[in-house]
Amino acid sequence: LLRRAVEEGDPAGRTAQEACRLHRAWLEKCWGRPCSPQAQLTMKELYTQDPRFAAYYDGKVAPSCTAFFAEAIQVYCETM
């Protein structure tokens, strides 16, 4: 889904925002507690600052995925 969102090119688009919703649900499942918008924004910052995340997202999902996903998460959290 995230790869398709990157291909569509709209971080505020339906596909990208659904990927962000699923990301939040995944975080909540992993953490065993609700994920606030601020917590998801913190994860966004981690993704852009830690080269291991960029290696995964840009290398395995799609080129420039890390920056795209960070922007999509920002939009998602601002609309919550």
Side-chain angles (χ1 to χ4, degrees), residues 5 8-20 68 71-72 75-76:
E8 290 174 4
D10 183 5
R14 193 170 82 199
T15 305
Q17 293 302 290
E18 177 64 8
C20 293
F68 177 89
E71 188 175 347
V75 170
Y76 180 78

Side-chain angles (χ1 to χ4, degrees), residues 14 16 19-20 33 38 45 48 51 62 64-65 69 75:
R14 193 170 82 199
C20 293
R33 61 181 168 78
Q38 186 56 47
E45 292 302 317
T48 58
S64 301
C65 183
F69 195 27
V75 170

Side-chain angles (χ1 to χ4, degrees), residues 13-44:
R14 193 170 82 199
T15 305
Q17 293 302 290
E18 177 64 8
C20 293
R21 185 192 69 75
L22 292 172
H23 176 254
R24 172 167 287 172
W26 175 77
L27 290 172
E28 290 176 344
K29 183 174 174 85
C30 290
W31 295 346
R33 61 181 168 78
C35 175
S36 68
Q38 186 56 47
Q40 194 171 16
L41 288 170
T42 299
M43 292 303 299
K44 172 202 82 147

Side-chain angles (χ1 to χ4, degrees), residues 1-2 5-7 9 11 18 25-26 31-32 41 47-48 50 52 59 61 65 67 71 73 75 77-78:
L1 186 64
L2 186 53
V6 172
E7 290 169 358
E18 177 64 8
W26 175 77
W31 295 346
L41 288 170
Y47 295 163
T48 58
D50 188 323
R52 294 173 293 178
V61 178
C65 183
E71 188 175 347
I73 290 171
V75 170
C77 290
E78 287 173 356

